Amino acid sequence: MADPMRKVALRNLAAHKVRLALTVLSVILGTAFIAGSFVFTDTLQRTFDGLFANQAKGVDVRVSPRDRQAQGIPNAVVDQLNELDGVRAVAPGVNGVVVLLTPDGKKAIQTGGVPSGGKSYIPPDRAVAEPDKYVQGVPPARPGEVAINTGGADKAGLHLGDRTKVLVPTQGDKPIDLLVTGIYDIPGDTGGFIQLQFTDTQARQLFTDGYRVAYVDIAAANGVKADTLRDAIAKKYPDFKVQNAAQVRADLRDQISTSLNFINYFLLAFGAIALIVGTFIIYNTFSMIVAQRLRELALLRAVGASRRQVGNSVVVEALVIGLLGSAIGLAAGVGLAYGVSALLNAFQLGLPTGSLAVRPRTIVIGLLVGLVVTVGSAYAPARRAALIPPVQAMREEFAALGESLRLRTLIGAALGAAGVLVVALGARGTGKTAAIIVGIGALALILAVLLAAPWVSRPVLRVLGVFTRPLGAIGLMARNNAVRNPRRTAATAFALTLGLMLVTAIAMLGASAKASIGVLVDKGVKADYVLTGPQFIGVPLGVIDAARKTPGVADVVGLRGVSMKAGNDQLFGISPDGDLAGGLNYDLLAGSGALGPNDVLVAEEQAAQYGWHVGEKITLNSMDGKPRSLTVTGIYKKQPMLGSFLLPPDLYFDIVPKNFQQTLFALVTAKPGADPTQLRADLEKSTEQFTIVQVQNHEEFKGFQGQQINRLLAILYGLLALAVIIAILGIVNTLALSVVERRREIGMLRAVGMQRAQVRRTIYLESMLIAIFGALVGMALGLGLGAGFLRTLRDLGLDQIEVPWTQLVVVLVASGVVGVLAALWPGVRAARTPPLAAIADL
């Protein structure tokens, strides 16, 4: 009987092509997203691996500071290294951040999330690593000449012989006028990244203090092993980091991997969510298919097929569908990964791109997930169908499958109560551990919604049915259809519930971050104007002096970020260049706000943590490990804009390497009686030579900070959109199968006079109600979880919880529209149901 049952299963698939297509689609939706996540992350990793393979190529040893923000390698050490036995050549690393401007100097060339870089050109006869390949022109030979990489030239529209301007943020001078003498290739030259090569003399002038370089690359003499030379140099210079080329590449890989962790974790989290959504789309699909086939399966039982054979026939169908859907899903996942790459590049994040990487692991996992989920989802409804007595199944059009909702609702309620308790417990703390606790509570709440949603759907849909009541019998029928099968309704809405849970939580994160910044600016900044620059670049050093010379300006204070270590703990602080009290409100709890050359002000949190007191001498280490003995002159109340400590400007310039010196922003206070409008115009004129500087009032400054948050959230919303698309397709799939299930019912309605337009409207309204139900549950879940996670971030300055009600109302309305759009094809299909043929169907 086994072979005949396999034939029955395969012929049944071939005989119901629409149902087969819809079922395969459910598998595709479940596997494409997880496959796409793996493909995208693998592609990024392979691209960076390709970049790293060319980094330090030809270098035998690199000597660098132990920390990136340390002062660098003294020139005297460079000379000593050049004289060591076993050294063939030495190439100092000289580099820094630049801003490429248009030839007229009035506009910056935007490069997204990665700042443009400048470095010194090293001739081939002195080069240690493999020299860059010039595709046009020649390298710079004198100050005022520059070469640019091919990707940067395309981005800026520069050609050989063009003149352009470059602004160096660490310089106080005007933009530099340059002649493009060459265009060269660099590994992974994609994403619009800009890199300029200057002569060694000009690069040292722009990016160093004249006494140190960032690192030193060394080539070993003939016959000398690289590791032998490395060990000898490490022994002679124990204060520096001495590595071979492989170790340099490993360090770079670790740095990039750390910065990409957010994207990778987020993508993999979406893969997991897509897997959950796909599982229940598939499960829901097979439950409906088995319900539609009850009479067919009962007939097989009646002619001698055993329960096991009936169940196996459904599993065979699931196996075929799983293989087909998983294979197509893998292909769709590659397309999805390509779309995500295009999305990130559209936001100009500066990420390198390359050919998509489809690894064997992705294929195996994709196929395995598709098969296991599909067969597992089919097994439970098939087993239940096999247990129904044949006579009963043939007597009823559709038998109710499954147990009562009572048990699953009680389990869901218990999980919900436990989830709320765990989220509340986690929200009492801050940091990683608290966030993990909230995450555990979130998982419990998601499972609670999954189990209890069928029971919840009935009262909620009855309430929502009030809005369809004005449509008369059509509206009542749509509501009744949605209420009649709560399992199907809940499963259909679950994908949208998960998507909108994340949308709501992330919207709360963005709104709360902006609200926290707004409160911080309103309470903290008392200056009249704020001078800002691009993210990661800040305000050029010369801006502060230019602003101070502006008529109507009483004072200007620049805030510069600086890192130091207290023992093994790295702390971030601020070095104010000017009278801090004139531009910023902060509460001094003890001592004075005076900052002498060897003084420090500390935040109350750090004072309590390390036992520091006013008048006490403490030791803070610079990032190159050198201890600094400082006197605590004051303790101030925690102020997020000031960090853990305040240092004098002279100490800042002494311990921070030139290529890391950055003014975050500057606060401008007007003289009494100065006209604000005139002052703004004068400030804009005084700083126009720096191009990238913006003059902003309080509201504009808050908006500027909000824009940076929006750029981050735009990536998340782009990825969330993919999950919502899956949810929409899932609704389409379920509704289409629902139309097939209700074919006789719809035919009967058509036979008694229901018009095609009325059938369509019924399906549209039913889908709208289901979508709004899913959206409401998702938003409620997102609001609770968003509040919980935000509470764990309050130590980072996110102490305001803001609910973006307008945005949520728009999303809710959009969900209703999505429900209608998702029902267009199923509604048309239902309207075309032939009345007599449908009634006659078995």
Side-chain angles (χ1 to χ4, degrees):
M1 191 71 180
D3 288 338
M5 291 305 294
R6 277 198 295 270
K7 290 180 181 179
V8 168
L10 296 176
R11 288 178 178 176
N12 184 69
L13 288 174
H16 299 86
K17 294 181 177 59
V18 173
R19 188 171 70 195
L20 172 64
L22 293 171
T23 311
V24 170
L25 176 62
S26 70
V27 182
I28 294 172
L29 296 178
T31 58
F33 206 74
I34 187 73
S37 298
F38 277 117
V39 170
F40 178 73
T41 51
D42 289 344
T43 299
L44 267 184
Q45 193 61 55
R46 187 175 74 175
T47 303
F48 280 112
D49 286 344
L51 290 176
F52 300 141
N54 291 281
Q55 293 296 317
K57 200 169 185 179
V59 174
D60 292 314
V61 180
R62 174 172 289 183
V63 180
S64 58
R66 292 200 173 276
D67 190 278
R68 289 180 64 247
Q69 299 181 47
Q71 279 286 9
I73 309 299
N75 291 339
V77 174
V78 178
D79 295 337
Q80 294 168 13
L81 290 169
N82 204 26
E83 299 297 325
L84 289 178
D85 292 337
V87 173
R88 178 182 64 81
V90 169
V94 181
N95 51 54
V97 174
V98 300
V99 179
L100 181 62
L101 308 177
T102 53
D104 59 8
K106 294 183 178 180
K107 186 178 179 182
I109 306 298
Q110 299 297 322
T111 58
V114 180
S116 301
K119 67 175 186 177
S120 64
Y121 168 71
I122 300 177
D125 60 327
R126 293 197 294 112
V128 171
E130 292 188 7
D132 295 313
K133 178 183 177 182
Y134 272 72
V135 295
Q136 293 183 48
V138 296
R142 59 185 62 85
E145 295 181 349
V146 70
I148 185 170
N149 65 305
T150 51
D154 292 340
K155 177 75 175 178
L158 290 174
H159 304 88
L160 204 63
D162 287 350
R163 301 200 71 87
T164 189
K165 293 182 184 292
V166 168
L167 182 68
V168 182
T170 57
Q171 296 291 313
D173 300 329
K174 297 179 180 179
I176 307 166
D177 186 62
L178 297 169
L179 172 68
V180 178
T181 63
I183 298 175
Y184 65 96
D185 274 334
I186 59 174
D189 192 2
T190 57
F193 171 66
I194 297 175
Q195 186 178 79
L196 305 177
Q197 287 185 347
F198 299 84
T199 62
D200 186 62
T201 300
Q202 189 167 22
R204 287 175 182 264
Q205 175 190 354
L206 295 176
F207 306 128
T208 76
D209 58 3
Y211 304 100
R212 303 174 184 87
V213 294
Y215 57 86
V216 181
D217 284 339
I218 300 172
N222 291 334
V224 178
K225 293 183 177 179
D227 287 354
T228 302
L229 181 60
R230 177 200 62 188
D231 295 341
I233 294 175
K235 185 176 181 180
K236 185 175 178 63
Y237 297 98
D239 293 336
F240 298 126
K241 183 162 57 176
V242 183
Q243 302 170 297
N244 59 29
Q247 291 170 326
V248 171
R249 288 191 287 270
D251 261 8
L252 290 171
R253 188 180 294 109
D254 289 343
Q255 292 172 20
I256 294 297
S257 295
T258 299
S259 63
L260 288 177
N261 273 345
F262 169 75
I263 295 175
N264 288 346
Y265 291 155
F266 199 78
L267 281 171
L268 291 176
F270 264 89
I273 289 171
L275 181 59
I276 294 172
V277 171
T279 298
F280 290 99
I281 288 176
I282 296 168
Y283 180 84
N284 189 38
T285 299
F286 274 98
S287 294
M288 294 179 64
I289 287 176
V290 172
Q292 295 168 21
R293 296 176 54 197
L294 278 182
R295 299 184 72 190
E296 171 193 326
L297 297 177
L299 182 60
L300 289 172
R301 290 282 315 283
V303 297
S306 67
R307 290 178 176 177
R308 182 177 180 181
Q309 289 172 324
V310 169
N312 287 345
S313 71
V314 179
V315 171
V316 168
E317 292 182 30
L319 189 63
V320 173
I321 289 170
L323 281 170
L324 182 61
S326 299
I328 299 174
L330 284 172
V334 174
L336 197 61
Y338 180 84
V340 172
S341 297
L343 176 71
L344 294 178
N345 283 331
F347 285 102
Q348 296 186 334
L349 298 182
L351 291 176
T353 56
S355 58
L356 293 177
V358 184
R359 296 183 176 175
R361 178 253 294 156
T362 302
I363 297 174
V364 171
I365 291 178
L367 290 174
L368 190 62
V369 165
L371 285 174
V372 170
V373 170
T374 304
V375 174
S377 298
Y379 177 76
R383 181 175 177 273
R384 288 202 301 268
L387 293 175
I388 296 177
V391 175
Q392 177 185 348
M394 285 190 290
R395 187 171 58 243
E396 305 237 358
E397 171 70 22
F398 301 104
L401 295 178
E403 70 282 359
S404 166
L405 295 177
R406 180 178 300 175
L407 179 60
R408 64 180 290 169
T409 302
L410 289 175
I411 296 174
L415 278 173
V420 170
L421 184 63
V422 173
V423 169
L425 180 64
R428 296 178 62 184
T430 59
K432 183 178 179 180
T433 302
I436 291 174
I437 294 173
V438 172
I440 294 171
L443 178 61
L445 286 172
I446 290 172
L447 292 175
V449 168
L450 173 65
L451 293 172
W455 182 84
V456 174
S457 67
R458 283 175 168 167
V460 173
L461 287 170
R462 286 192 179 101
V463 172
L464 292 176
V466 172
F467 298 100
T468 63
R469 185 175 296 173
L471 298 175
I474 298 297
L476 180 62
M477 187 175 297
R479 190 206 68 174
N480 289 341
N481 285 341
V483 171
R484 182 172 54 186
N485 194 330
R487 282 192 183 85
R488 184 179 66 212
T489 295
T492 304
F494 185 68
L496 197 60
T497 295
L498 278 183
L500 291 190
M501 175 194 75
L502 294 172
V503 168
T504 303
I506 291 174
M508 282 187 67
L509 174 63
S512 300
K514 293 175 187 177
S516 297
I517 290 174
V519 171
L520 187 61
V521 172
D522 290 337
K523 291 184 177 180
V525 177
K526 60 182 180 180
D528 297 284
Y529 290 104
V530 183
L531 305 180
T532 63
Q535 190 179 16
F536 306 121
I537 296 176
V539 177
L541 291 182
V543 168
I544 294 176
D545 288 337
R548 283 174 178 159
K549 296 175 183 177
T550 304
V553 171
D555 193 22
V556 180
V557 55
L559 302 185
R560 302 186 178 109
V562 56
S563 293
M564 295 194 80
K565 288 186 176 180
N568 294 323
D569 299 333
Q570 183 172 335
L571 305 177
F572 178 79
I574 291 293
S575 176
D577 183 4
D579 180 15
L580 185 62
L584 198 68
N585 286 316
Y586 71 102
D587 296 330
L588 200 62
L589 302 178
S592 72
L595 274 176
N598 295 304
D599 293 339
V600 63
L601 272 68
V602 297
E604 60 174 332
E605 185 177 348
Q606 280 64 44
Q609 180 179 355
Y610 300 107
W612 294 336
H613 304 283
V614 173
E616 179 184 358
K617 282 191 175 294
I618 65 172
T619 299
L620 294 177
N621 295 325
S622 60
M623 298 309 293
D624 54 7
K626 294 181 180 179
R628 302 285 178 156
S629 181
L630 304 171
T631 302
V632 178
T633 58
I635 298 174
Y636 57 89
K637 188 176 181 180
K638 181 180 178 180
Q639 159 61 283
M641 295 181 74
L642 297 182
S644 300
F645 59 86
L646 297 175
L647 288 183
D650 291 344
L651 185 57
Y652 171 85
F653 288 110
D654 187 37
I655 66 175
V656 178
K658 185 173 182 179
N659 58 337
F660 280 97
Q661 292 171 5
Q662 178 192 59
T663 302
L664 303 176
F665 52 87
L667 304 171
V668 180
T669 304
K671 291 180 179 178
D675 179 28
T677 304
Q678 183 61 46
L679 176 59
R680 180 176 190 138
D682 291 340
L683 282 170
E684 290 173 346
K685 184 176 181 180
S686 299
T687 59
E688 65 179 352
Q689 61 182 315
F690 298 99
T691 307
I692 60 174
V693 176
Q694 298 183 55
V695 181
Q696 299 174 334
N697 58 29
H698 283 205
E699 292 304 314
E700 291 167 337
F701 181 59
K702 288 189 288 187
F704 174 74
Q705 301 299 320
Q707 287 174 7
Q708 299 186 41
I709 295 171
N710 287 340
R711 277 194 288 270
L712 171 63
L713 295 183
I715 304 171
L716 306 186
Y717 281 130
L719 297 173
L720 280 169
L722 300 178
V724 174
I725 289 171
I726 289 179
I728 295 170
L729 292 175
I731 293 174
V732 174
N733 190 56
T734 306
L735 284 174
L737 285 167
S738 174
V739 168
V740 175
E741 176 187 344
R742 290 181 284 172
R743 178 176 169 84
R744 292 189 70 195
E745 172 192 328
I746 294 170
M748 183 69 72
L749 291 171
R750 292 277 288 114
V752 298
M754 194 175 195
Q755 301 298 313
R756 287 185 174 182
Q758 292 174 316
V759 173
R760 288 197 298 269
R761 283 199 295 271
T762 302
I763 302 296
Y764 299 161
L765 290 173
E766 178 186 351
S767 176
M768 182 187 72
L769 290 173
I770 292 173
I772 292 177
F773 165 71
L776 286 173
V777 175
M779 286 180 181
L781 201 56
L783 288 172
L785 297 180
F789 276 114
L790 283 168
R791 290 288 297 166
T792 68
L793 300 175
R794 60 186 182 276
D795 60 327
L796 300 179
L798 291 178
D799 52 1
Q800 303 293 315
I801 295 181
E802 185 84 7
V803 178
W805 292 113
T806 301
Q807 185 175 349
L808 295 186
V809 169
V810 170
V811 169
L812 186 62
V813 173
S815 298
V817 174
V818 161
V820 173
L821 294 177
L824 289 178
W825 181 63
V828 170
R829 181 176 174 80
R832 291 176 179 174
T833 302
L836 297 180
I839 295 171
D841 278 349
L842 290 176

